């Protein structure tokens, strides 16, 4: 970097820097013995404009008797220079030995400006530099500010930045300070290599780290920008990954970075020494605390004999044991894990030692950096408070909880000595970040068509830790709005209260002949039973109605009315039969007619459903967004009949198991099932399960299960009260493509079934009468026919398919393409071999 000077109507100011002012500058005079009788008030000051005379005199401290000796004069000179207020300070002797202090004041900064900066705003740079308008000009400070600006740009990936400070002299000893910035291009990471990795491929390890290689879509993200702090953090991520998979001796020896001038970017190389992979040979518990049974901690251990050694399981076990010991009254108990390696057998014998720790108490908990978030929002994440025994496990848990809030860029809890040796002060340092989101999302799927959503959300409303979101959706076949609010600590308990108000409209499309309108409200309570187990209780009340084009519900068998429009069966039952030649013998079916359950729902008008329900979730996934290992199980039940117009019990279970196989291939097994049970009232068609590609890929939405067989009607899917599904899928990367592209392939096989329709099958109404000789309802008929009752298929056929998929974790959002071929299907099922879904936020 360089300094440049330019003049605008004035003379160039001479900048004199004093490095170590232990020797008087040129022009200073050492006072003779005749001056030793001088007092502070007798000092004469020359050259000062802004700084008061008394202020300058105050830097000279007299000795005994109020007189100034040589040491006091030297100290005063040093102190004046160190203030940074003066370009030059000289001490001379006048007549009679009088001390004369001559000063040349530093200019005052009129303004601080930035030129050439486009990527970083003036406001951010102003807060970072020390030189301020109306402050004193200092060359050392300007040099420091120049380095700081360059560092800010380097942190944003611009290593070619050039910063030139320019000083423009103005009248009245004032200057303008201008930083001219040449930002340069972003400096990205051109390649990431791993050396010494045998157990895991470089492709897999790139998933572990945060740094990414530059590619064509890098402008949509920032992970490819070179950041030395992020590279150093990646070293620890790699080490933790290996320790989690049994490599107890792993070392990430170095993270080498080299700038490539031809590629204009950095090459990053991680050197790894893996060591051997260990399994747990034995688990033991020992205690030196009287009356404490160490074997009672066995139930809190997550380390099992024969499993791979996992440092995260050890750490979680230590935390659980230490917290449990504290609950039992052993407040100062400390759990220390130990391990004895068997290098030949490649096993680790894990020992949890429970000892009495130092009797230390928490004196205070100091919070720093929470300029917006209220103190109580932070303090409630602690299970300990001021005056309690110091427990490191509880402190670590609080730090993890604060990070999971996603309110802060960084959270660090440190300890400082208290007022006595048995007291500590917890210091929580935080840096807040923006918690509001405004998004415009768009997507398309073969089921819902084009879809757009505008939403506004805030994760930390008013700094009180509240969540609120408003969203409006408008699409080709789906429209609506929703309002959500969450209080994570209801009445200061660790119970989350959620409130949801929503309105949804589903329009008729090629898969269903009718539309639905739903307006609902749902309060819910969420509990975290364990780190991997959660419970949600909810109440739902919603009003639902069907919409249908008039021509699909225009049969009217009432003779003598202007709306008379008979069905073929009614016309044939009359004596003599009615002439339907004008409609080719089809009567009201000539333009189609909706299925009987649909028309009955339409006639019933708005229906109110009031239901209580709960969801129990077990989650051990290693990554909720892109899992490769773990188990996710959801079990849900809803009981409708707490008031309202319908009553039923709906039970649904869904389980997914992920397991890493070989060469970065991930296996996924999914099992699902559901049962709808009638309680008092008849079941509506809308309450039934509707299945398609969400159960077996290769089938159309609502393409599986019981179906109306009226050949002149819409042949709507009726749904079923029972379903089951099983799926096996293998996901693998495209090894010939860069990891950053985000493409994966999938092959899968699905099987499932939906059956046992229990909705309306006959209907006597003013516009539909029972016809003599016509079967009111027929299940699985040998041939279809026209009847006032429902003729439908409900065969218990196993549907199955195989297929391939393309999964793209694109910068625009997740996209998935599937092509599946049904192997077995029902006679009247509807297939859809190609399916696409995805969306984006911009």
């Amino acid at each position: 970097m360089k300094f440049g000077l330019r003049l605008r109507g004035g003379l160039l100011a001479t900048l004199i820097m004093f490095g170590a002012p232990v020797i008087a500058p040129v022009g200073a005079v050492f006072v003779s013995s005749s001056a030793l009788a001088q007092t502070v008030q007798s000092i004469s000051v020359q050259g000062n404009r802004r700084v008061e005379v008394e202020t300058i005199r105050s830097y000279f401290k007299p000795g005994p008797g109020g007189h100034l000796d040589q040491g006091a004069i030297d100290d005063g000179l040093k102190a004046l220079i160190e203030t940074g207020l003066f370009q030059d300070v000289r001490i001379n002797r006048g007549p009679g030995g009088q001390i004369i202090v001559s000063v040349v004041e530093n200019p005052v900064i009129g303004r601080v400006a930035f030129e050439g900066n486009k990527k970083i705003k003036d406001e951010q740079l102003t807060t970072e530099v020390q030189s301020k308008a109306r402050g004193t000009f200092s060359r050392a400070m300007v040099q420091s500010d120049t380095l700081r600006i360059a560092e800010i740009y380097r942190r944003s990936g611009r290593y070619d930045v050039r910063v030139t400070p320019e000083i423009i002299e103005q009248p009245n000893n004032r200057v303008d300070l201008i930083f001219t910035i040449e930002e340069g291009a972003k400096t990205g990471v051109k390649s990431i290599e791993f050396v010494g990795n045998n157990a895991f491929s470089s492709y897999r390890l790139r998933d572990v780290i945060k740094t990414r290689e530059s590619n064509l879509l890098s402008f949509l993200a920032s992970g490819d920008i070179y950041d030395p702090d992020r590279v150093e953090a990646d070293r620890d991520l790699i080490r933790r990954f290996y320790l989690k998979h049994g490599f107890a001796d792993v070392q990430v020896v170095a993270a080498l970075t080299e700038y490539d001038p031809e590629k204009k970017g950095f090459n990053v190389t991680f050197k790894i020494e893996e060591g051997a992979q260990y399994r747990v040979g034995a688990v033991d518990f020992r205690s030196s605390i009287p009356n404490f049974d160490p074997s009672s901690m066995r139930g809190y251990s997550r380390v099992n004999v024969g499993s791979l050694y996992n440092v995260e399981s050890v750490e979680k076990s230590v935390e659980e044991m230490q917290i449990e010991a504290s609950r039992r009254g052993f407040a100062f108990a400390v759990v220390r894990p130990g391990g004895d390696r068997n290098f030949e057998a490649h096993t680790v014998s894990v020992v949890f030692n429970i000892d009495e720790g130092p009797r230390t108490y928490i004196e205070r908990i100091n919070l720093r950096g929470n300029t917006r978030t209220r103190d109580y929002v932070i303090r409630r994440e602690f299970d300990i408070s001021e005056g309690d025994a110091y427990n490191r496990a509880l402190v670590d848990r609080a730090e993890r909880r604060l990070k999971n809030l996603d309110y802060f860029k960084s959270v660090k809890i440190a300890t400082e000595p208290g007022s006595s040796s048995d007291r500590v002060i917890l210091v929580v340092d935080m840096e807040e970040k923006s918690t509001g989101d405004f998004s415009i999302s768009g997507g398309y799927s073969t089921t819902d068509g084009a879809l757009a959503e505008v939403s506004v959300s805030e994760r930390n409303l008013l700094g009180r830790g509240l969540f609120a979101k408003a969203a409006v959706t408008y699409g080709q076949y789906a429209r609506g709005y929703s309002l959500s609010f969450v209080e994570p600590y209801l009445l200061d308990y660790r119970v989350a209260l959620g409130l949801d108000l929503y309105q949804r409209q589903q329009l008729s499309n090629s898969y269903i002949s009718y539309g639905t309108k739903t307006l609902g409200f749902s309060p819910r309570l969420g509990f975290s039973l364990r780190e991997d187990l959660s419970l949600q209780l909810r109440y739902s009340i919603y009003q639902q109605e069907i919409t249908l084009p008039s021509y699909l519900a225009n049969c009217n068998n009432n003779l003598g009315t202007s709306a008379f429009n008979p069905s073929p069966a009614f016309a044939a039952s009359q004596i003599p039969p009615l002439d339907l030649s004008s409609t080719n013998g089809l009567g009201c079916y000539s333009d189609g007619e909706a299925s009987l359950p649909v028309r009955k729902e339409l006639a019933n008008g708005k229906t109110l459903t009031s239901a209580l329900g709960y969801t129990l979730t077990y989650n051990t996934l290693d990554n909720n967004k892109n899992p490769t290992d773990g188990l996710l199980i959801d079990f849900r039940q809803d009981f409708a009949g707490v008031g309202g117009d319908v009553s039923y019990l709906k039970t649904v279970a869904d389980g997914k198991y992920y397991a890493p196989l070989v060469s970065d291939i991930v296996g996924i097994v999914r099992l699902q099932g559901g049962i709808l049970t009638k309680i008092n009232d008849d079941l509506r068609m809308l309450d039934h399960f509707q299945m398609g590609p969400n159960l077996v890929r290769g089938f159309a939405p609502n393409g599986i299960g019981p179906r109306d067989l009226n050949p002149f009607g819409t042949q709507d899917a009726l749904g079923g009260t029972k379903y089951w599904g099983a799926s096996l899928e293998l996901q693998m990367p495209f090894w010939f493509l860069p990891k950053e592209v985000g493409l994966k392939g999938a092959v899968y096989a699905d099987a499932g079934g939906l059956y046992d329709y229990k909705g309306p099958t006959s209907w006597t109404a003013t516009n539909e009468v029972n016809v003599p000789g016509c079967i009111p309802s027929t299940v699985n008929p040998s041939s279809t026919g026209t009847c006032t009752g429902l003729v439908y298929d409900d065969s218990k056929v196993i549907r199955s398919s195989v297929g391939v998929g393309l999964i793209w974790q694109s910068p625009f959002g997740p996209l998935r393409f599937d092509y599946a071929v049904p192997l077995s299907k029902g006679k009247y099922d509807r297939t859809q071999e190609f399916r696409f879904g995805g969306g984006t936020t911009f």
Side-chain angles (χ1 to χ4, degrees), residues 36-90:
L36 295 178
Q38 296 292 326
T39 64
V40 172
Q41 295 302 320
S42 66
I43 295 176
S44 175
V45 179
Q46 298 176 354
N48 60 309
R49 295 185 180 183
R50 300 186 312 276
V51 184
E52 299 290 338
V53 171
E54 291 304 321
T55 301
I56 295 175
R57 287 173 175 170
S58 67
Y59 286 92
F60 296 88
K61 308 298 182 183
H67 299 294
L68 292 171
D69 56 19
Q70 186 65 51
I73 295 173
D74 290 344
D75 292 341
L77 174 64
K78 296 174 186 177
L80 284 173
I81 293 172
E82 290 171 355
T83 63
L85 297 173
F86 309 101
Q87 293 184 34
D88 189 15
V89 180
R90 296 172 180 266

Side-chain angles (χ1 to χ4, degrees), residues 373-393:
T373 305
R374 308 292 179 94
D375 282 5
Y376 73 85
V377 173
I378 299 167
R379 293 181 183 275
R380 69 190 183 188
E381 299 299 330
F382 286 81
D383 290 328
I384 51 176
S385 57
E386 294 161 344
D388 289 348
Y390 174 75
N391 188 316
R392 187 66 218 179

Side-chain angles (χ1 to χ4, degrees), residues 109-409:
I109 300 174
R111 68 187 180 98
V112 179
F114 306 91
E115 295 181 355
N117 56 309
K118 297 178 180 179
K119 302 301 180 182
I120 300 180
K121 296 181 179 180
D122 287 1
E123 292 78 8
Q124 181 179 348
L125 294 175
T126 300
T127 60
E128 295 289 347
V129 299
Q130 294 177 298
S131 300
K132 304 293 183 183
R134 296 183 296 278
T136 302
F137 173 83
S138 167
R139 183 176 179 181
M141 189 181 297
V142 171
Q143 185 174 3
S144 174
D145 290 339
T146 303
L147 294 173
R148 177 59 182 160
I149 293 171
E151 180 64 20
I152 293 171
Y153 272 91
R154 289 192 179 101
R155 293 295 180 188
S156 65
R158 298 180 182 274
Y159 275 76
D160 290 334
V161 64
R162 298 289 185 270
V163 182
T164 305
E166 300 180 84
I167 302 125
I168 305 171
E169 191 175 278
Q170 301 290 354
N172 300 320
N173 198 29
R174 302 175 73 87
V175 296
D176 290 343
L177 178 59
I178 299 176
F179 293 96
T180 302
I181 303 169
E182 298 176 17
E183 295 181 321
K186 279 188 176 183
T187 310
V189 176
K190 298 303 180 181
S191 70
I192 301 174
E193 302 295 337
F194 300 88
V195 177
N197 56 309
N198 298 314
F200 300 99
S201 68
S202 297
Y203 193 96
R204 179 69 180 91
L205 293 178
R206 287 191 182 97
D207 247 351
V208 176
I209 62 177
K210 301 296 184 182
T211 304
R212 295 287 181 262
E213 290 183 357
S214 299
N215 57 72
L216 293 176
L217 300 176
S218 293
F219 67 94
L220 296 170
S222 60
D224 69 309
I225 298 172
Y226 175 69
D227 184 342
D229 290 343
R230 181 162 53 204
V231 171
E232 191 62 29
D234 286 340
R235 288 183 63 185
D236 187 60
L237 290 176
I238 296 170
R239 176 179 168 274
R240 297 281 300 180
F241 176 77
Y242 270 92
L243 289 173
K244 183 180 176 181
H245 290 83
F247 293 87
D249 299 324
V250 66
Q251 291 185 30
V252 183
V253 179
L256 304 178
T257 57
E258 181 182 6
Y259 182 76
D260 188 336
E262 294 184 1
K263 296 180 179 179
K264 294 184 178 180
F266 283 90
N267 299 322
V268 180
T269 303
F270 295 96
K271 290 189 175 182
I272 304 170
E273 293 181 2
E274 292 182 332
Q277 189 178 39
Y278 291 83
R279 291 189 175 271
V280 178
V283 181
D284 194 13
F285 303 86
R286 301 172 186 172
S287 172
S288 62
I289 303 176
N291 301 321
F292 188 95
D293 181 13
S295 62
S296 64
M297 293 289 103
R298 190 172 296 276
Y300 298 92
S301 171
R302 300 191 180 189
V303 182
N304 300 313
V305 175
S307 63
L308 282 176
Y309 175 77
N310 186 336
V311 71
E312 287 188 4
S313 297
V314 174
E315 291 172 349
K316 290 178 180 178
S317 300
V318 169
E319 181 179 292
E320 294 294 334
M321 292 178 194
Q322 195 157 322
I323 293 172
E324 179 59 25
S326 178
R327 289 173 180 160
R328 296 182 184 183
F330 299 92
F332 300 100
V334 177
V335 181
R336 296 184 177 92
D340 184 15
R341 292 180 178 83
N342 185 324
F343 297 101
E344 295 180 357
H346 292 162
T347 60
V348 178
S349 296
V350 180
V351 179
F352 293 100
N353 298 293
I354 305 159
D355 303 313
E356 186 78 19
R359 292 183 170 270
T360 307
Y361 297 87
I362 298 173
E363 184 173 327
R364 291 195 312 277
I365 300 177
N366 293 340
L367 308 180
R368 299 175 183 171
N370 57 315
T371 55
R372 181 168 176 265
T373 305
R374 308 292 179 94
D375 282 5
Y376 73 85
V377 173
I378 299 167
R379 293 181 183 275
R380 69 190 183 188
E381 299 299 330
F382 286 81
D383 290 328
I384 51 176
S385 57
E386 294 161 344
D388 289 348
Y390 174 75
N391 188 316
R392 187 66 218 179
L394 293 176
V395 173
D396 290 342
R397 173 181 283 187
E399 182 173 325
R400 186 169 62 252
R401 286 173 176 172
L402 289 172
K403 290 178 179 177
N404 291 339
L405 289 176
D406 200 24
Y407 301 162
F408 310 101
K409 290 182 180 178

Side-chain angles (χ1 to χ4, degrees), residues 569-583:
F570 180 84
S573 68
Q574 301 302 300
I575 300 175
L578 299 179
D579 180 16
L580 297 179
S581 58
S582 61
T583 59

Side-chain angles (χ1 to χ4, degrees), residues 342-578:
N342 185 324
F343 297 101
E344 295 180 357
H346 292 162
T347 60
V348 178
S349 296
V350 180
V351 179
F352 293 100
N353 298 293
I354 305 159
D355 303 313
E356 186 78 19
R359 292 183 170 270
T360 307
Y361 297 87
I362 298 173
E363 184 173 327
R364 291 195 312 277
I365 300 177
N366 293 340
L367 308 180
R368 299 175 183 171
N370 57 315
T371 55
R372 181 168 176 265
T373 305
R374 308 292 179 94
D375 282 5
Y376 73 85
V377 173
I378 299 167
R379 293 181 183 275
R380 69 190 183 188
E381 299 299 330
F382 286 81
D383 290 328
I384 51 176
S385 57
E386 294 161 344
D388 289 348
Y390 174 75
N391 188 316
R392 187 66 218 179
L394 293 176
V395 173
D396 290 342
R397 173 181 283 187
E399 182 173 325
R400 186 169 62 252
R401 286 173 176 172
L402 289 172
K403 290 178 179 177
N404 291 339
L405 289 176
D406 200 24
Y407 301 162
F408 310 101
K409 290 182 180 178
S410 62
V411 178
K412 182 66 177 177
I413 302 179
T415 59
E416 293 180 355
S419 58
S420 61
S421 59
D422 63 343
R423 297 287 188 273
V424 295
I425 299 173
L426 294 183
V427 180
V428 186
D429 284 308
M430 299 154 286
E431 183 182 356
E432 300 215 58
K433 68 178 181 181
S434 174
T435 55
D437 291 308
F438 172 77
S439 70
I440 302 175
S441 304
Y444 179 84
S445 74
T446 48
T447 303
D448 298 323
L451 190 71
E453 180 184 85
V454 178
S455 66
V456 179
S457 65
E458 172 58 61
R459 299 190 305 276
N460 188 14
L461 186 64
L462 303 176
R464 300 176 182 271
L466 307 173
F467 173 84
K469 180 178 180 179
V472 176
T473 302
Y474 191 89
Q476 195 171 352
Y477 303 120
R479 298 164 189 174
Y481 65 84
S482 64
L483 300 173
S484 299
F485 173 83
V486 178
E487 163 57 86
Y489 279 80
L490 180 63
L491 302 176
D492 291 330
Y493 290 98
R494 200 175 294 278
V495 177
L497 169 67
L499 302 173
D500 297 302
L501 176 66
Y502 56 90
Q503 187 271 335
R504 292 194 295 264
Q505 182 180 9
Q506 180 71 45
L507 304 181
S508 60
N509 52 53
S510 58
Y511 305 111
I512 54 174
S513 65
Y514 55 91
T516 58
K517 290 183 179 179
T518 306
L519 176 63
F521 172 71
S522 178
R524 48 193 164 83
L525 295 174
F527 306 83
S528 180
L529 305 180
R530 285 189 340 204
E531 190 172 351
D532 56 4
L533 188 64
S534 61
L535 173 67
Q536 183 192 87
L537 305 178
R538 61 182 170 273
Y539 170 72
S540 301
I541 181 169
Y542 58 90
Q543 178 181 274
Q544 195 172 39
E545 64 176 319
I546 273 185
T547 58
L548 197 64
S550 59
Y551 70 89
L552 292 181
N554 61 355
C555 286
N556 191 315
N557 293 328
N558 288 329
L559 286 166
T561 63
S562 59
F564 179 65
N565 190 16
S567 65
F570 180 84
S573 68
Q574 301 302 300
I575 300 175
L578 299 179

Side-chain angles (χ1 to χ4, degrees), residues 624-645:
N624 288 329
K625 185 177 181 181
N626 187 24
T628 61
D629 192 11
L631 183 64
L632 175 63
I633 299 176
D634 275 337
F635 182 80
R636 304 190 301 274
Q637 280 194 310
D638 288 281
F639 169 72
V642 190
D645 303 320

